[in-house]
Amino acid sequence: MRKSVFLLSLFVLPLYMLLQAQEKTAPFWGKQEVYLMNQTEKTFHLVDALLKENPPSSGNPALARKAALQLLDGIFHDTRLDGSKTLSQFMESRLSGLLEDMQKPLEEGMKVHKLYNDGFIVKTKSVTVAFDLYRGGAMKESPSLISDETMQAIVAQCDIMFLSHNHPDHIDPVVVRMFTDMGKQVIAPNNSLVGNKWVTHIRSEQIIDKEFKTKGGKLKILPGHQSELINNIHVVTTSEGFTFAQTGDQYNEEDLTWLLDVKTKIPALDVLLINCWANRFSDTIEGFDPKLVITGHENELGHTIDHRESYWTSLIKLEDVKKPSCLMTWGEVYWYKR
């Protein structure tokens, strides 16, 4: 009897395992969307593991990191996934790690956190500065790519936010309200959030040089443009002496007359946060003369496929840049030390 049971188990167990394996794949037959979502989730898990093993660094990234970024390009350029819960869950997962890092005290150097689109947060020992924080466009299954709860927690860690120009993927009124409700300063061009008395509006066709109230920082605002639309370029110097700039959507031929030599008009720049499709990309970077370049604005969902600015094209552009550079994706952190 025992021998029969044993022989039966030798047959039944492999059959049971085979049926289980079939159950994991057979339900996809005839269900293309279900298959796509499951494949995307599996890819995200792999990407997460690769990025954790190969974090952001200056210089030529490891092959495994390039592969992870190009896997993301494939997903973010699949328009069928736009607005999906799968993308939103991936973003939430990435930002949970970012938020955990932001909550740690920083005693040395500065950390650059990359969010969606051109959203960045720079943290030093004395101050945490945000640029163009945006929750993401309307989603099919949720109101935004980044949940209000997550963004609220991120805003709570910041001291001030600078807004570059009056486009909805750079100025999110809900995020602005989060800052002002917490009594935190928001600085924007004077054609943005008009009538909002809680926002500080600043614009001049000359370089503005001023101190801002938060933690003793100093600020220069450069009069940039995206085509004809005014676009403030913010250059921030912290009390520790770190200087960093964010260009917003700078793209204007006439501005190059002064941008290509702007290093003579600003403090020596540690980090330049530049939109990856800036006009005369490498020449503009030379004009700022930073110690490190970090690109932004890759993979904006909702754009046409050819205008989603992939990570692999940014890598190609950065090959012609003489300065050290770092290519980051959503929720990553780069620790800059002199």
Side-chain angles (χ1 to χ4, degrees), residues 11 30 34 48 86 88 121 125-126 174 200 222 301 305 307:
F11 172 76
V34 175
D48 251 341
T86 303
S88 184
I121 297 171
K125 184 177 180 179
S126 67
V174 173
T200 302
L222 313 181
L301 307 180
I305 290 176
H307 191 37

Side-chain angles (χ1 to χ4, degrees), residues 120 233-234 243-247 269-274 281 284-295:
F120 288 97
I233 299 172
H234 297 99
T243 299
F244 46 93
Q246 191 253 22
T247 65
L269 199 59
D270 290 291
V271 176
L272 176 65
L273 309 171
I274 186 170
F281 182 72
T284 299
I285 290 170
E286 285 299 314
F288 277 95
D289 194 29
K291 293 183 175 66
L292 178 72
V293 178
I294 297 177
T295 60

Side-chain angles (χ1 to χ4, degrees), residues 281 310-321 327:
F281 182 72
S310 62
Y311 295 125
W312 66 263
T313 54
S314 283
L315 283 171
I316 291 173
K317 291 177 184 178
L318 288 169
E319 289 175 358
D320 295 329
V321 173
L327 181 60

Side-chain angles (χ1 to χ4, degrees), residues 98-138:
L98 178 146
L99 184 57
E100 182 180 345
D101 188 85
M102 286 186 69
Q103 291 168 340
K104 298 175 183 176
L106 180 62
E107 298 296 327
E108 179 186 7
M110 65 178 178
K111 288 187 175 181
V112 179
H113 304 79
K114 186 172 183 177
L115 285 81
Y116 180 54
N117 265 19
D118 214 27
F120 288 97
I121 297 171
V122 181
K123 178 176 181 177
T124 69
K125 184 177 180 179
S126 67
V127 68
T128 302
V129 178
F131 298 96
D132 290 352
L133 299 192
Y134 167 54
R135 292 169 302 148

Side-chain angles (χ1 to χ4, degrees), residues 151-275:
M151 186 59 82
Q152 188 93 24
I154 290 171
V155 170
Q157 296 297 315
C158 299
D159 296 306
I160 189 170
M161 180 166 66
F162 296 102
L163 302 175
S164 60
H165 67 289
N166 194 25
H167 275 171
D169 60 322
H170 291 256
I171 295 183
D172 185 332
V174 173
V175 179
V176 171
R177 180 69 180 270
M178 290 177 184
F179 271 87
T180 57
D181 280 354
M182 294 182 197
K184 299 182 180 189
Q185 191 175 17
V186 175
I187 296 178
N190 56 16
N191 67 340
S192 308
L193 302 165
V194 176
N196 188 330
K197 64 180 182 179
W198 306 108
V199 172
T200 302
H201 296 91
I202 302 176
R203 174 65 183 189
S204 170
E205 293 311 308
Q206 305 299 319
I207 294 176
I208 298 172
D209 192 353
K210 70 188 295 290
E211 292 188 6
F212 60 93
K213 297 177 183 178
T214 305
K215 310 287 179 74
K218 294 184 178 180
L219 171 68
K220 283 184 180 288
I221 301 180
L222 313 181
H225 300 81
Q226 182 183 6
S227 297
E228 300 304 316
L229 180 68
I230 61 176
N231 176 87
N232 284 351
I233 299 172
H234 297 99
V235 182
V236 178
T237 301
T238 70
S239 60
E240 299 92 352
F242 290 109
T243 299
F244 46 93
Q246 191 253 22
T247 65
D249 278 0
Q250 177 62 34
Y251 195 96
N252 181 284
E253 190 73 28
E254 293 179 4
D255 288 341
L256 292 174
T257 58
W258 55 269
L259 270 178
L260 297 186
D261 194 35
V262 73
K263 61 189 175 187
T264 62
K265 303 174 178 67
I266 62 175
L269 199 59
D270 290 291
V271 176
L272 176 65
L273 309 171
I274 186 170
N275 50 317

